[in-house]
Amino acid sequence: MTTAFDKLARPIQRWIRSQGWRDLRDIQVRSITAISDGTSDVIIAASTAGGKTEAAFLPLISQVIADEEAVGGFDLLYVAPLKALITDQANRLEAMCQEAELPVVPWHGDVSASIKARAVKRPRGVLLITPESLEALFMRRGLEIPRLFRSLRAVILDEVHTMLDSERGVQLRSQLTRLELAIGRPIRRIGLSATLGDMDQARIYLRPDNAASVQVIEAQGGEAELRLQLRGYIAGGDDKSLPPPTDLIAKHLFDHLRGTDNLAFAGSRQSVEIYADRLRALCEDARLPQEFYPHHASLSREHREAVERRLKDGKLPTTAICTSTLELGIDIGDVSCVAQIGAPFSVASLRQRLGRSGRRAGKPAILRQYAIEAKINAKSSFADRLRLGLLRSIAMIDLLLEGWCEPARTGALHLSTLVHQILSIITERGGANAPRLYRMLCQDGPFRQVSPAIFADVLRAMGQCDPALIEQASDGLLLLGPMGESLTSHYSFYAVFQTPEEYRLIAEGRELGTLPIDNMVAPGMMIIFSGRRWLVQEVDDQGKVIIVTHAKAGAPPIFGGDAGMIHDVVIERMFDLLNRDDVPSYLDPTARELLAEARSDFSRMQFPSSRIAEIGEGAWIVATHCGTVKTTTLAFALRSRGFTVQTFDGFLEVMTGRSSCDLVAALGSIAEGAECHLFAADANLTTEKFHPYLTQSLLEMDALSFRLDQLSLPSLARSVLGLPSEYI
DNA sequence: GACCTGCTGCGGCGTG
């Protein structure tokens, strides 16, 4: 029998020996066999630093080397969501490809135009690119695409879980279809990930027309031991002499993380600033060198890279207080512990974060979860009483331990991204006809939920906005309109996602980072930024610049953001926790106390037997037992009937408002399937980049396909009312 | 009720 090693080309075998590897990892052996012996698409699922990149590239590069009939063109295409990942992988592949004299070409916004020009002139080897740069290639060099990619053997999609049903994911899938159509044959797809919730779904994503043929190679076990603790804190107590929870948590982090490398996820940029400020002060008070640094997307690249370098080289102990900026990305080495302040928004991201800890053999992964809950008094809201943040933290940790994580949400129309792709294809080809666009994007491509009628409406909307995005020539060919010309000719077009306008923050001539433009900032104000305190000297509205100097006090700015989407399974688990009486072993005494209080308040509100509790004249709490999408849909339906509604995790707070109607009667009519218009006249539905060019009815359709779930309404109302679920 | 990601072509100037 031939071993996996024997299947590899000589130069690759030499490279492996030069690395001093004693043997190949199991995932690599299985991947080499699958990729060398077969032709099917492959998903390689293994934890961070599990050797996935080599598992894919060792056999693929071997095949390229063995092929002696090269006619020119790139041999392999690697697509990743981050520039830093591309730079990192290019360096790793460089050595592997050197012996075989195969070029490795990193291609993103920071790569010089001369390197790109050379690669286009003589395309060979491995091209590593972002979806945005690939979009630019299609639009600026559309005619050259067949020549550049005619010999392509495979496309490797890194961190494929971040690309499943996101705007960028749909863009990438569309690009893959366009690539296959351009060269006239299918291209093998290899997906890499550490965090896939549902393998069958990932198969469908990777090859929608033949999902069954996709081979999945999953790393076996090998999960490090997990040590975890959840600490509870109470905010707003009567005793003003007690320090607030932020100070207590900062002190706890200071005492337990000092001297080692750690990641502390604080949940928002504002919290990152608060904790970084407290921890810096604690180091100064103790006359110790700084080792706690803030890290989030508004900080300057210079500052962020310095923190990453400190973590990676491992010489000085470093803790990054961070947002999801450090969840994904380049290898920053092993960290001792991952701290999570406040409930995370998804189990998938918690899993990804924990993947950064305990990777060295024999060392446990450590998760420190901190939960802050309000002190209860007579005026406390039900949401405070039920400790929803603590419950969500416990629910997510339990689901993590069970190996579950959120699958992608399917079924979305993605109309904003569809507009983007229509404009891109028209630019690429200098024009396109509607039936062909429909075939490329909706039949062969990823927009399969879009019917011919909806597609026609989208084209009409693009033609009717003023100035028009597209126009039609007398022979029916679709061309760019004035607005289409203007959008596609600017480099900001390539990304499908929206980005807000920002101010640049400057101190002593150096850029600290950026602030969202909707922040109220005026000279004389004190702010906390980059873990330090500043006095605003000057605000230049034209140049979008804020000049600051050092200050003694300050408050952190507000960075804004959108609502999270909590999955149904997480909310169900939260209710399950309220109805049980066992206590997870990883809770500290305060957290145990908080959980016990939540449970007793829950039963006092008569919830275990009923789903509606009347809390006053014309005021109710409704337990939906559902995640954000369904709960929000019911809130929209009740609002459209005149109620005032606030949403919480798995609950609604409903008030009569201008409705004279009884809540039970309203739910009854929803349960019977009565028609209801969900959108108030002022509902803001333009959430994505190309939404401003669509009509109200298309925007409503887009929202209903993704952020709302109208079909679930009758059965949700029935279960809230305690009626048997409908027989279908 | 939050976070993250990305970007071309070309003119102008200096240097060898």
Side-chain angles (χ1 to χ4, degrees):
Chain A
M1 194 182 78
T2 335
T3 66
F5 185 79
D6 296 330
K7 294 180 195 290
L8 300 172
R10 281 288 158 78
I12 295 296
Q13 293 178 340
R14 278 199 293 276
W15 177 83
I16 290 175
R17 288 202 195 92
S18 75
Q19 297 299 296
W21 293 2
R22 293 188 53 190
D23 42 28
L24 294 166
R25 297 190 191 183
D26 172 63
I27 188 105
Q28 293 166 338
V29 169
R30 284 154 60 210
S31 301
I32 290 169
T33 308
I35 292 174
S36 308
D37 295 353
T39 56
S40 67
D41 301 315
V42 179
I43 290 170
I44 304 176
S47 62
T48 321
K52 290 190 294 288
T53 311
E54 289 78 8
F57 275 104
L58 294 173
L60 288 171
I61 294 173
S62 292
Q63 289 183 342
V64 173
I65 294 171
D67 183 2
E68 285 163 0
E69 290 168 31
V71 291
F74 294 112
D75 300 293
L76 297 171
L77 174 65
Y78 164 97
V79 188
L82 302 175
K83 289 187 287 190
L85 218 49
I86 286 172
T87 309
D88 223 38
Q89 300 286 37
N91 290 333
R92 287 167 70 181
L93 289 175
E94 194 78 48
M96 209 187 282
C97 292
Q98 209 164 28
E99 281 220 49
E101 291 177 2
L102 207 61
V104 173
V105 185
W107 184 309
H108 55 66
D110 299 343
V111 172
S112 79
S114 58
I115 292 181
K116 293 174 182 169
R118 205 180 314 144
V120 168
K121 211 168 165 189
R122 282 203 60 208
R124 272 187 69 217
V126 190
L127 177 66
L128 302 97
I129 198 165
T130 59
E132 288 72 22
S133 284
L134 190 55
E135 197 74 53
L137 259 183
F138 271 111
M139 293 175 67
R140 305 287 168 228
R141 305 173 202 255
L143 294 175
E144 297 183 75
I145 293 288
R147 177 180 70 83
L148 294 175
F149 295 103
R150 62 187 164 189
S151 331
L152 202 62
R153 291 190 151 268
V155 48
I156 299 97
L157 310 171
D158 205 353
E159 305 286 7
V160 78
H161 63 278
T162 67
M163 298 289 199
L164 286 182
D165 212 43
S166 61
E167 291 163 276
R168 279 176 108 192
V170 174
Q171 175 189 27
L172 177 55
R173 295 166 70 187
S174 179
Q175 291 170 336
L176 293 183
T177 315
R178 289 165 67 182
L179 200 56
E180 291 184 342
L181 289 171
I183 65 172
R185 63 180 169 86
I187 305 162
R188 190 175 203 186
R189 302 178 184 182
I190 313 281
L192 313 180
S193 177
T195 319
L196 286 168
D198 179 340
M199 288 303 168
D200 288 333
Q201 189 185 50
R203 281 191 170 101
I204 294 171
Y205 170 82
L206 200 66
R207 185 64 73 180
D209 295 318
N210 196 1
S213 73
V214 177
Q215 232 179 310
V216 173
I217 300 174
E218 265 183 283
Q220 304 288 318
E223 294 288 311
E225 174 201 347
L226 174 64
R227 290 196 196 152
L228 65 102
Q229 184 183 41
L230 190 160
R231 300 178 64 82
Y233 292 82
I234 301 171
D238 303 326
D239 189 350
K240 298 293 178 221
S241 66
L242 286 175
T246 40
D247 288 4
L248 293 172
I249 292 174
K251 183 72 172 66
H252 193 264
L253 290 170
F254 180 78
D255 290 340
H256 290 82
L257 305 190
R258 210 154 40 84
T260 53
D261 286 353
N262 306 279
L263 295 178
F265 292 93
S268 71
R269 282 174 275 181
Q270 188 179 32
S271 299
V272 166
E273 290 294 347
I274 293 170
Y275 286 100
D277 177 66
R278 301 284 182 283
L279 284 156
R280 184 186 49 78
L282 285 169
C283 283
E284 277 172 10
D285 292 349
R287 298 183 186 287
L288 288 165
Q290 272 312 312
E291 56 182 273
F292 296 91
Y293 294 91
H295 192 289
H296 58 72
S298 294
L299 294 171
S300 68
R301 174 183 297 262
E302 190 190 9
H303 171 94
R304 287 160 62 182
E305 283 176 354
V307 179
E308 288 162 31
R309 266 197 309 278
R310 261 189 78 124
L311 277 166
K312 190 170 185 169
D313 76 19
K315 285 184 196 126
L316 294 167
T318 306
T319 294
I321 317 291
C322 57
T323 57
S324 48
T325 38
L326 284 177
E327 185 174 304
L328 203 70
I330 61 157
D331 192 352
I332 48 163
D334 193 22
V335 298
S336 307
C337 137
V338 170
Q340 168 73 41
I341 306 169
F345 283 89
S346 74
V347 179
S349 105
L350 187 61
R351 183 155 131 185
Q352 189 80 24
R353 289 170 183 189
L354 208 56
R356 295 287 199 169
S357 155
R359 302 190 332 220
R360 222 171 295 151
K363 278 185 63 181
I366 299 175
L367 173 63
R368 296 181 181 279
Q369 170 78 50
Y370 297 87
I372 304 174
E373 291 293 342
K375 173 94 181 164
I376 300 299
N377 59 38
K379 287 186 202 150
S380 289
S381 74
F382 86 98
D384 284 345
R385 289 179 189 278
L386 293 183
R387 313 297 191 192
L388 294 181
L390 172 82
L391 285 176
R392 198 168 92 205
S393 298
I394 300 174
M396 287 193 167
I397 289 174
D398 281 355
L399 289 165
L400 173 89
L401 293 173
E402 290 165 26
W404 182 87
C405 75
E406 291 84 359
R409 186 167 155 73
T410 55
L413 289 168
H414 290 290
L415 296 184
S416 168
T417 309
L418 179 62
V419 170
H420 180 267
Q421 286 298 293
I422 291 170
L423 291 173
S424 176
I425 293 175
I426 292 177
T427 309
E428 174 193 343
R429 298 166 174 246
N433 66 51
R436 188 167 159 74
L437 276 174
Y438 185 76
R439 222 172 25 247
M440 285 178 79
L441 293 166
C442 307
Q443 286 181 336
D444 298 335
F447 299 95
R448 300 192 181 198
Q449 313 292 329
V450 176
S451 67
I454 297 176
F455 190 73
D457 281 346
V458 170
L459 289 181
R460 220 166 286 133
M462 292 173 73
Q464 279 167 1
C465 55
D466 188 26
L469 286 180
I470 55 173
E471 40 191 48
Q472 196 159 27
S474 52
D475 60 354
L477 197 69
L478 297 172
L479 305 167
L480 292 177
M483 193 53 158
E485 284 284 1
S486 142
L487 288 179
T488 55
S489 58
H490 195 262
Y491 61 79
S492 60
F493 177 81
Y494 307 123
V496 283
F497 52 87
Q498 179 100 279
T499 36
E501 263 201 288
E502 290 174 322
Y503 285 106
R504 288 187 307 135
L505 218 61
I506 311 269
E508 287 155 14
R510 284 185 34 179
E511 182 164 336
L512 295 174
T514 56
L515 262 191
I517 211 123
D518 51 8
N519 250 275
M520 292 285 289
V521 178
M525 270 176 66
M526 313 270 211
I527 57 171
I528 292 180
F529 194 82
S530 199
R532 295 183 166 273
R533 294 154 187 229
W534 308 95
L535 174 63
V536 176
Q537 298 288 350
E538 211 182 305
V539 179
D540 173 3
D541 283 317
Q542 287 291 308
K544 307 266 181 287
V545 169
I546 298 171
I547 311 284
V548 295
T549 51
H550 282 284
K552 287 234 151 46
I558 298 158
F559 291 92
D562 7 276
M565 274 205 198
I566 312 294
H567 195 275
D568 288 341
V569 169
V570 175
I571 302 290
E572 275 163 31
R573 182 58 61 96
M574 288 169 62
F575 279 94
D576 187 36
L577 280 165
L578 282 169
N579 284 318
R580 282 195 334 228
D581 51 17
D582 57 325
V583 177
S585 58
Y586 53 82
L587 302 194
D588 83 332
T590 310
R592 280 166 195 263
E593 202 181 303
L594 289 168
L595 178 61
E597 280 175 16
R599 284 171 169 169
S600 83
D601 265 324
F602 185 65
S603 63
R604 200 170 318 134
M605 290 161 138
Q606 299 157 354
F607 268 124
S609 53
S610 160
R611 299 270 293 267
I612 305 175
E614 192 160 3
I615 53 167
E617 179 75 24
W620 303 268
I621 305 294
V622 176
T624 65
H625 288 219
C626 295
T628 311
V629 171
K630 290 178 187 150
T631 300
T632 307
T633 310
L634 185 57
F636 270 55
L638 290 172
R639 276 191 206 114
S640 78
R641 282 160 197 263
F643 292 95
T644 303
V645 188
Q646 210 188 334
T647 58
F648 298 88
D649 281 358
F651 289 94
L652 294 176
E653 189 176 56
V654 185
M655 273 169 294
T656 315
R658 56 185 170 79
S659 167
S660 54
C661 180
D662 178 63
L663 175 64
V664 173
L667 287 168
S669 99
I670 295 171
E672 281 162 21
E675 204 173 321
C676 52
H677 186 74
L678 293 180
F679 302 97
D682 58 349
N684 175 28
L685 298 175
T686 53
T687 51
E688 294 177 27
K689 192 171 172 184
F690 295 93
H691 274 162
Y693 308 99
L694 294 174
T695 59
Q696 178 71 15
S697 85
L698 285 169
L699 292 176
E700 289 182 4
M701 243 185 270
D702 206 39
L704 285 171
S705 76
F706 190 60
R707 291 188 295 139
L708 297 170
D709 180 359
Q710 194 162 22
L711 288 179
S712 72
L713 266 183
S715 64
L716 174 53
R718 290 182 75 81
S719 67
V720 165
L721 291 170
L723 302 169
S725 34
E726 221 164 349
Y727 180 73
I728 302 166

